Amino acid sequence: MSRLLEVNQLQVHIKTQHGIVQAVRGISFYLDEQETLAIVGESGSGKSISVKSIMGLLPKNGKIVGGSILLEGKDLSKYSERQMQTIRGSDISMIFQDPMTSLNPTMTIGKQIVEVLKEHRKDMTKTQMKDRALELISLVGISNPETRFDQYPHQLSGGMRQRVVIAVALACDPKILIADEPTTALDVTIQAQILDLMKDLQKKIKTSIIIITHNLGVVANIADRVAVMYGGQLVESADVRELFYQTEHPYTKGLLASIPKASHKGGELTAIHGTPPDLMDPPKGCPFAARCTKTMEVCRQYPPEDMLCGESHHARCWLLDERAKAFRE
Amino acid sequence: MKSAENKPLLEVKNLKKYFQVGKNQILKAVDDVSLDIYKGETLGLVGESGCGKSTFGRTVIQLYEPTDGRIVYDGREINGSLPSAERHGFTRKMQMIFQDPYACLNPRMKVIDIVAEGIDAHGILSGEERTKKVLELLETVGLSEEHANRFPHEFSGGQRQRVGIARALAVNPEFVICDEPISALDVSIQAQVINLLKELQEKRGLTYLFIAHDLSMVKHISDRIGVMYLGAMVELADSESLFEAPLHPYTQALLSAIPIPDPDVEKSRSRIMLEGSLPNPVNLKEGCRFASRCPYAEQLCKEKTPEMKEVRPGHFAACHKAM
Ligand SMILES: Nc1ncnc2c1ncn2[C@@H]1O[C@H](COP(=O)(O)OP(=O)(O)OP(=O)(O)O)[C@@H](O)[C@H]1O
Ligand SMILES: Nc1ncnc2c1ncn2[C@@H]1O[C@H](COP(=O)(O)OP(=O)(O)O)[C@@H](O)[C@H]1O
Ligand code: SF4
Ligand SMILES: [Mg+2]
Ligand SMILES: [Mg+2]
């Protein structure tokens, strides 16, 4: 597998009335060809802002203030909006949580797919575009593509709309598909169908996927690798099995422990006490120190370094430092 | 907690709530649902979006006028002909916690006044006693005195949900309907709120109707679980039997669709995938509502609406083929 995307020390600031939100504080990760990376973490931890930086879709008051985003070696963080337009929808596509907001309610679904092709595939004729649109509609598992082509989003169910959104995103065979909570608004039976669809399409068209979710079941279902964000930082990343079975970071451990277990029905759940840090004024030490059960003096004073704790398993926690051995258990 | 000899605290009999959605168009949001809830128990209610869970809860708590059916609370029938003082009494005993901790708190009110809303409406306490009671309640839900004079936007989602819980508890309810109380919260915060609800139940002997679509959390907190599909109850059982041996094909599909947070288990599982789509909920015809998606449907299912029957002791299902 070869490296497709490499994010290095990315830092993003967002200017607000009350001050500057340090939404992303130096995160690094990579994505290989045909793999699925899941990003999990507390709401407000910087997941969406991170992927929006990759897409060049930061809010107007947001700015990349450090680091690089390398897509096959080209640094997207230096690209102009005009240059990004050629990347979006063709090399990288994104789908959002609410299918209704990403579809145009006044345009038939067929037309919406054709529009994307018009923009990026100037080599195609009108007939070719229509054929491609029909092909995409059936590819995402919608029957009667001819009929659906002329329907409007409101005539479809929530699950079908999300399929259309996926069809639009896949129109130009993107190298990377970014999905920000693509199933959160859907029922579990529909969620299962959409996850299956994404896995199936990945095999067929060989795209890489970045999926943001807060559902650890979804992570277990679809991810090859997982990155865990907390307080604007990436606190742990590893192969999916390693992340679940050899968890290193106290936040990841807490997250896994707070899910109800079949074996422990009705008992007290292991909650993580307290609330996440304010990114307008992030703590100077470890962002998790205020809620961690293992906090040491050093945690509050100095930010932990990124440590390698297995082949491509990274974590940021002082407990992994040689000198903290005695505190580990 | 519950026992079979117990008398139910709440008896819902053949409850219907229909909405007129257009000329000659009737949406049967809740259609002939019967249910008993025993004192001190938690009854979970699950089902797909739009199946009528919230409407059921809202009708029980008198936020909606039922189209038909009976609601008996603690042996007394609640209906329109009840004198208003007595009706007022019921609304105090039954409280509701809402899904969206952002939308349901008035942004211009301070926390102290939000929590005291019920106290004020029922004229229970005033002045210093009112303040004292609110501070007590804030402490009960894990907030502190200094939070009393703040506004909702100054709180996190989990904290807002605690304010909502404190508000519901202010009038000393016996029965609380929790409508998706944790859906809007982070996983790590969900556990805090669930622990709090359980603790309050034990201390105050509360009875809960717990509406949610996160089935693993419903299983964790509920003694019994009801499954709804398109306005009807299709299965009702204690939570172990429901998860171990679901009888209704819809429940079976629903349970098999929950992703399990364990990569080895999840990646080797097989699922029951539902084909077909939900029928239009408006002007439903006779027959099983699930027939259009059910892998086992036969002619009878399309013609006759199955009734709830006790297939195993305490385990009810509405399916012609359940046995
Ligand atoms: N005031 C109303 N007028 C008309 N239709 C309504 C009204 N309230 C609810 N409905 C309809 O009744 C049905 C049941 O809605 P309800 O809110 O009870 O669903 P739910 O099971 O709580 O769903 P969710 O899981 O999305 O909260 C839906 O089809 C809904 O659109
Ligand atoms: N448009 C915006 N204006 C100001 N702050 C924002 C904006 N969007 C996001 N933020 C802030 O940036 C941080 C990261 O947000 P986000 O990436 O959306 O989190 P996540 O997707 O992990 O929930 C949060 O503190 C959030 O409040
Ligand atoms: S660095 Fe310290 S506070 Fe942070 S997670 Fe590790 S032990 Fe906890
Ligand atoms: Mg987000
Ligand atoms: Mg609802």
Side-chain angles (χ1 to χ4, degrees):
Chain A
M1 273 203 257
S2 74
R3 193 117 318 167
L4 198 55
L5 180 77
E6 210 174 295
V7 173
N8 295 309
Q9 291 300 320
L10 181 70
Q11 273 178 284
V12 182
H13 284 183
I14 300 176
K15 230 186 228 147
T16 71
Q17 278 180 325
H18 310 283
I20 289 172
V21 180
Q22 302 178 30
V24 178
R25 304 193 295 141
I27 64 165
S28 304
F29 65 87
Y30 63 88
L31 183 69
D32 283 337
E33 265 173 16
Q34 291 187 55
E35 81 167 339
T36 299
L37 172 75
I39 304 182
V40 297
E42 216 80 356
S43 72
S45 62
K47 305 181 296 295
S48 298
I49 293 294
S50 302
V51 296
K52 282 181 184 161
S53 318
I54 300 173
M55 290 294 288
L57 286 177
L58 283 175
K60 285 205 176 56
N61 50 344
K63 194 170 186 306
I64 297 178
V65 294
S68 59
I69 300 168
L70 305 178
L71 174 69
E72 294 180 314
K74 299 165 289 188
D75 189 352
L76 301 185
S77 72
K78 307 276 184 303
Y79 271 34
S80 66
E81 169 57 21
R82 166 94 50 88
Q83 285 173 301
M84 278 315 292
Q85 278 171 9
T86 64
I87 301 279
R88 273 201 300 272
S90 72
D91 285 327
I92 313 179
S93 275
M94 183 154 174
I95 58 184
F96 298 90
Q97 171 165 354
D98 183 357
M100 223 32 199
T101 57
S102 21
L103 292 175
N104 181 341
T106 66
M107 211 191 266
T108 64
I109 64 168
K111 185 120 196 286
Q112 306 203 29
I113 301 175
V114 169
E115 284 299 306
V116 185
L117 294 170
K118 265 192 198 155
E119 184 154 340
H120 295 287
R121 296 294 305 271
K122 309 252 188 285
D123 57 312
M124 278 185 162
T125 65
K126 265 201 168 137
T127 335
Q128 282 174 323
M129 287 185 194
K130 172 145 194 193
D131 289 345
R132 172 74 178 143
L134 291 171
E135 182 194 9
L136 283 159
I137 296 173
S138 56
L139 185 70
V140 296
I142 298 177
S143 52
N144 303 325
E146 304 274 353
T147 321
R148 299 299 184 187
F149 189 92
D150 293 318
Q151 287 189 324
Y152 290 90
H154 71 89
Q155 293 172 292
L156 308 178
S157 69
M160 268 204 261
R161 277 182 216 140
Q162 196 60 298
R163 285 170 191 267
V164 174
V165 172
I166 295 177
V168 173
L170 295 180
C172 302
D173 295 320
K175 298 183 179 115
I176 302 174
L177 177 68
I178 299 179
D180 191 351
E181 312 246 9
T183 60
T184 305
L186 306 174
D187 284 309
V188 281
T189 53
I190 313 294
Q191 167 173 283
Q193 292 172 4
I194 297 291
L195 292 176
D196 265 22
L197 173 69
M198 288 176 63
K199 285 189 282 192
D200 188 42
L201 290 173
Q202 181 170 41
K203 279 201 205 98
K204 278 193 196 142
I205 64 174
K206 309 200 185 322
T207 176
S208 304
I209 296 177
I210 298 178
I211 179 173
I212 297 180
T213 175
H214 61 259
N215 185 326
L216 292 161
V218 170
V219 175
N221 176 290
I222 200 171
D224 300 313
R225 265 184 324 114
V226 190
V228 184
M229 284 195 73
Y230 192 86
Q233 295 188 333
L234 217 143
V235 294
E236 184 162 12
S237 65
D239 163 83
V240 67
R241 294 191 71 251
E242 197 154 324
L243 191 103
F244 276 82
Y245 306 134
Q246 275 136 276
T247 320
E248 289 290 354
H249 198 279
Y251 171 66
T252 318
K253 287 185 185 169
L255 207 54
L256 289 167
S258 45
I259 319 167
K261 305 279 175 310
S263 54
H264 189 57
K265 182 178 156 14
E268 193 176 338
L269 295 172
T270 321
I272 305 177
H273 295 283
T275 48
D278 176 6
L279 292 182
M280 200 106 74
D281 181 24
K284 61 175 173 179
C286 167
F288 192 54
R291 301 175 75 190
C292 182
T293 54
K294 300 262 195 244
T295 317
M296 303 165 283
E297 195 46 40
V298 62
C299 308
R300 294 187 211 282
Q301 299 303 329
Y302 303 97
E305 297 279 315
D306 182 274
M307 304 277 238
L308 197 62
C309 36
E311 194 198 337
S312 84
H313 184 167
H314 295 256
R316 269 180 194 272
C317 169
W318 276 115
L319 288 173
L320 295 167
D321 191 288
E322 266 306 300
R323 292 161 287 182
K325 240 183 193 152
F327 292 88
R328 278 178 211 166
E329 275 328 302
Chain B
M1 274 249 165
K2 94 192 146 104
S3 73
E5 314 86 82
N6 239 347
K7 257 185 65 83
L9 179 64
L10 178 79
E11 297 162 74
V12 178
K13 295 186 201 299
N14 307 102
L15 191 70
K16 293 180 183 165
K17 177 65 199 172
Y18 295 174
F19 294 107
Q20 181 90 36
V21 289
K23 244 195 279 163
N24 306 323
Q25 298 223 306
I26 300 273
L27 192 150
K28 300 181 174 180
V30 174
D31 198 15
D32 205 1
V33 171
S34 299
L35 183 67
D36 288 344
I37 303 182
Y38 296 88
K39 192 165 167 37
E41 89 165 326
T42 299
L43 188 110
L45 201 55
V46 300
E48 269 162 299
S49 177
C51 71
K53 307 179 295 292
S54 300
T55 305
F56 178 80
R58 290 168 161 264
T59 313
V60 166
I61 206 169
Q62 311 288 300
L63 284 173
Y64 290 148
E65 192 75 35
T67 305
D68 194 17
R70 297 170 56 208
I71 299 163
V72 180
Y73 186 86
D74 212 3
R76 295 271 315 198
E77 179 143 359
I78 320 176
N79 57 37
S81 61
L82 219 56
S84 73
E86 209 163 328
R87 227 182 137 96
H88 219 55
F90 281 119
T91 58
R92 195 176 141 178
K93 286 176 186 158
M94 295 198 242
Q95 287 292 311
M96 190 147 173
I97 301 169
F98 296 90
Q99 167 164 5
D100 188 351
Y102 302 83
C104 70
L105 305 178
N106 184 336
R108 280 180 294 277
M109 275 167 79
K110 284 183 180 169
V111 161
I112 182 165
D113 300 315
I114 292 175
V115 173
E117 251 173 338
I119 298 179
D120 299 342
H122 293 276
I124 302 169
L125 298 168
S126 58
E128 253 172 56
E129 280 185 55
R130 172 181 180 268
T131 310
K132 199 169 146 243
K133 173 81 180 176
V134 171
L135 296 184
E136 252 174 49
L137 285 161
L138 289 180
E139 200 190 317
T140 311
V141 299
L143 295 172
S144 55
E145 211 167 297
E146 72 236 51
H147 292 127
N149 287 312
R150 295 200 192 155
F151 292 93
H153 71 262
E154 297 174 70
F155 290 92
S156 69
Q159 287 172 321
R160 279 186 250 222
Q161 198 53 281
R162 286 166 190 266
V163 173
I165 295 172
R167 173 174 65 179
L169 291 178
V171 292
N172 292 325
E174 301 167 342
F175 177 62
V176 182
I177 298 182
C178 312
D179 190 359
E180 309 253 11
I182 54 169
S183 314
L185 306 176
D186 270 318
V187 180
S188 76
I189 312 287
Q190 289 184 354
Q192 293 178 15
V193 173
I194 291 293
N195 284 344
L196 172 65
L197 288 172
K198 286 222 86 157
E199 184 193 318
L200 292 169
Q201 179 170 49
E202 275 153 33
K203 283 200 184 132
R204 299 177 170 224
L206 297 175
T207 306
Y208 289 143
L209 175 64
F210 188 88
I211 300 173
H213 60 246
D214 176 349
L215 284 112
S216 52
M217 207 51 105
V218 174
K219 180 187 182 188
H220 176 81
I221 197 170
S222 307
D223 299 297
R224 287 187 303 144
I225 297 175
V227 182
M228 285 182 75
Y229 189 80
L230 275 179
M233 187 75 81
V234 296
E235 186 156 4
L236 178 66
D238 63 77
S239 39
E240 269 82 23
S241 334
L242 191 98
F243 273 80
E244 298 299 311
L247 291 169
H248 197 284
Y250 173 64
T251 314
Q252 291 166 359
L254 193 64
L255 295 183
S256 93
I258 313 171
I260 294 174
D262 182 326
D264 286 348
V265 175
E266 183 62 18
K267 286 185 168 136
S268 62
R269 250 168 111 214
S270 66
R271 303 214 127 86
I272 308 170
M273 281 295 174
L274 289 180
E275 310 266 324
S277 54
L278 259 94
N280 188 345
V282 174
N283 298 343
L284 277 177
K285 289 197 255 327
E286 178 71 17
C288 173
R289 286 152 208 254
F290 188 56
S292 64
R293 298 167 85 193
C294 181
Y296 312 107
E298 44 183 56
Q299 203 48 37
L300 174 68
C301 308
K302 295 186 181 118
E303 285 161 6
K304 191 168 174 288
T305 309
E307 295 195 357
M308 278 288 252
K309 55 176 189 262
E310 191 164 9
V311 182
R312 290 199 290 263
H315 194 146
F316 299 81
C319 168
H320 292 303
K321 310 200 75 181
M323 54 193 123

